[in-house]
Every structure is written in C-alpha cells, then in structure tokens.
Amino acid sequence: MQPRPDPTGIFDLRYKAFLETVSHLRTRLHRYCARMTGSALDGEDAMQEALFEAYRKIEALEDPGALRAWMFRIAHNRCIDMLRKRAARERAEMAYAEEDVALPVEPAGAGHAIERLVVHLPPKERASVLLKDVFDHSLEEIADLVGSTAGGVKAALSRGRAKLAALPAEPAAVPEIRRDPDLEKLLRHYVALFNRRDWDGVRALISADAQLRVADCFKGRLADSPYFSEYAKLGMAWRLAVGAIDGEPVVIVLKPGRDGWEPAYPVRIQARDGIIDGISDYYPCPWMMPAADIILLAEPEPERSP
C-alpha cells in the first residue's frame, strides 16, 4: 500500500506509524519552525505540512541515519514558503495602509534570548543563526539544508550575529494582542456554548463546509468528523477559555492541575462574516505551550449541567 498523497479524513495506521518513527524529532522541529515563523501556531502548521511531505517521500530517504537533517530541510522549506506567503500578503495590505507593516511578534518563553530575537533577521540569516547557535548544526549541514554553501552560511552567520548584537539588550516584551473585536466576541460565544456542552448551539456558529484539522488525527470537512462527540466522551475533564497565543486570539483548552484549571493546548478558530469556517485543534502537541506566550483573555464560565 502506497502512502496517500495528502492524508485526509481520519489518518490511517500507516501515517500514525510514521509519526511514531519521527516522534523524537518533533519537539526540536517545532521549536525551529516556531522561531522561523515567529509563532508557535504557524510553526506547528508548518511542521504538520512538513510531516505530510516527508510521509509522501519517505521511500526516497536512502540513508536512515540522515533522517534528522532530511526532516529539518523539509521543515525549513515549509517555513520559507509560509514566510513568502506572509510577505506577499503584507505587501498587498500595505497598499491600503499608511503605516509600515509591523514585524512579526516575538515569541516569549524560550530558554535562549537569541530565539526571541532572530525574528528580526531575514530568513537566511535567521535560519543560519538558529541552526548553528541554537541547534548546533555544522556549516556543511546548514548549507545543505538552506540550499547554500558553507561560505554563504558563514557570511549569513556573521551578518546575523552582528545585527543581533546591535539590538537593544532588553527583555522580550509580551507580544501585543492583535485585537479583533468581532472574532473575540465569536470566540466567547463558542466557548460558552462548548463549556455547556450545547453541541447544537456550537454547530449553529459553524458553516456547513467548515474545515477541520486535528493534529496527527484528521484533516477534512468538520461535518465528516467525530470532533464534537470525541469531546463529549471526555465528560468534565476539560474546559475552554478565550486566550491568546503569541498575540493571536485563540481558544485555550484547560485541564485540571495542581492549582486549578491549567492551559493544556490551543485551538485556532478561523471565521468569515461572523461564521466559523476553520478549526485547528492541537491537542496531541504538548511542545507548543512551552514555546508560546500564553494569555487568558477571559476565564471560563462556571460549570453547568448539560
């Protein structure tokens, strides 16, 4: 059986077996993608796309010992694609705005200050500094990964380090929340209905052709998934709240902890004209929360009986 070109629906056992094979790399891959894109959410999306691509091409990997470098190269390319799309979108938006487009937010919470600052560098310098100074790759490995030469990487490292050294020595600020009153109102309504287990009410907020991605599990039409029934099976083991991840308003799933309800993972909600048309659920991705700056914008309502 050959891997499907783009996993859709509930992912099959072959794909899940592949995910197990690369599980030891995923925390580092996400850390790299999050710093390249400036967002823990975008970083996970880039890594998910990289995993799909690697799964499709796994038979082309002749040397199993090269798995790490091969996966980093694929993830790097997906990050560059995402940055190019973002730059094109920002250029289009600039045509309608008087002020300059802001730099991407600086993700906080990393163990090294350099990881919070590389977002100010161009992509090649950003990748070179991350891969050398954070992930300890050799110049030759980096050159192969970014499609350059050892000399080109060395020059990019020199430029990047000089630019970082010139930045003010200030602690990373908490990312400013990109306020969208309409989206936040919709998220609050969604959270309130979800916490009451009012599944009919939740479905009324969602378009008929809304798309769902549950990391490692499902990709396709929400209507074709068991998404809400899976949450219903969990009983009272979770609650939702409105929050922000790296400045982006999201839904935060909370689970019981030592000090009460604690953030466990985010759910990204996309909407158009006041109707939800996309949901990305990151429940199997525990590495995301340590890599992100998390703010709760509203505490969940008190529990009520269904």
Side-chain angles (χ1 to χ4, degrees):
M1 187 176 85
Q2 294 298 314
R4 284 183 287 176
D6 187 13
T8 56
I10 297 176
F11 297 163
D12 58 29
L13 294 178
R14 182 179 179 127
Y15 184 65
K16 292 182 178 181
F18 166 76
L19 294 178
E20 284 294 322
T21 300
V22 299
S23 62
H24 63 293
L25 297 173
R26 292 187 63 178
T27 298
R28 289 170 63 83
L29 282 170
H30 176 261
R31 185 178 171 192
Y32 177 71
C33 291
R35 300 316 176 204
M36 279 295 294
T37 62
S39 162
L41 294 164
D42 286 344
E44 182 61 34
D45 288 348
M47 187 173 72
Q48 289 285 323
E49 292 177 8
L51 291 170
F52 287 159
E53 181 176 347
Y55 171 64
R56 294 195 300 266
K57 298 178 178 178
I58 189 64
E59 294 181 357
L61 180 63
E62 298 179 356
D63 178 11
L67 178 64
R68 185 191 70 150
W70 185 66
M71 288 296 304
F72 262 89
R73 182 161 57 250
I74 294 173
H76 170 79
N77 289 337
R78 296 290 70 75
C79 290
I80 294 300
D81 288 344
M82 186 173 286
L83 290 173
R84 285 171 177 163
K85 290 177 183 177
R86 182 188 296 169
R89 183 175 65 251
E90 290 175 348
R91 284 196 299 270
E93 291 173 351
M94 284 180 68
Y96 301 96
E98 294 182 359
E99 67 267 10
D100 292 335
V101 174
L103 285 166
V105 299
E106 296 177 11
H112 305 284
I114 190 174
E115 293 186 45
R116 299 192 296 269
L117 297 174
V118 292
V119 72
H120 295 296
L121 301 177
K124 184 175 180 180
E125 295 172 13
R126 189 183 312 181
S128 297
V129 171
L130 279 172
L131 291 167
K132 183 61 178 174
D133 295 345
V134 176
F135 294 96
D136 198 30
H137 286 241
S138 69
L139 294 179
E140 290 74 19
E141 288 175 327
I142 299 171
D144 182 61
L145 194 154
V146 304
S148 182
T149 63
V153 169
K154 192 172 182 179
L157 269 173
S158 179
R159 293 194 302 270
R161 288 166 174 168
K163 291 176 183 178
L164 292 177
L167 291 174
E170 299 177 357
V174 174
E176 182 178 353
I177 298 173
R178 301 187 289 280
R179 292 288 186 180
D180 183 337
D182 292 336
L183 176 61
E184 289 184 37
K185 181 179 179 181
L186 179 61
L187 293 182
R188 291 173 194 271
H189 194 190
Y190 179 88
V191 162
L193 293 169
F194 218 106
N195 284 341
R196 293 199 293 268
R197 280 59 170 172
D198 182 354
W199 305 120
D200 290 338
V202 171
R203 289 187 179 92
L205 301 179
I206 301 172
S207 68
D209 59 350
Q211 296 295 302
L212 170 69
R213 174 184 279 185
V214 180
D216 296 1
C217 299
F218 182 91
K219 179 183 178 186
R221 293 176 67 246
L222 176 62
D224 298 331
S225 77
Y227 186 61
F228 298 124
S229 61
E230 289 298 315
Y231 270 97
K233 290 178 184 177
L234 296 175
M236 306 305 291
W238 54 266
R239 298 174 73 187
L240 303 187
V242 179
I245 294 286
D246 295 337
E248 178 181 340
V250 296
V251 169
I252 303 290
V253 178
L254 308 174
K255 291 189 176 181
R258 289 184 177 180
D259 300 318
W261 293 96
E262 299 178 352
Y265 57 90
V267 178
R268 197 179 212 174
I269 303 290
Q270 295 176 309
R272 180 180 298 178
D273 299 327
I275 300 294
I276 294 171
D277 62 1
I279 298 175
S280 296
D281 190 306
Y282 301 97
Y283 93 88
C285 307
W287 45 79
M288 290 186 66
M289 302 308 264
D293 186 84
I294 307 162
I295 299 174
L296 289 183
L297 301 179
E299 295 293 333
E301 293 182 352
E303 294 180 18
R304 303 180 186 180
S305 299

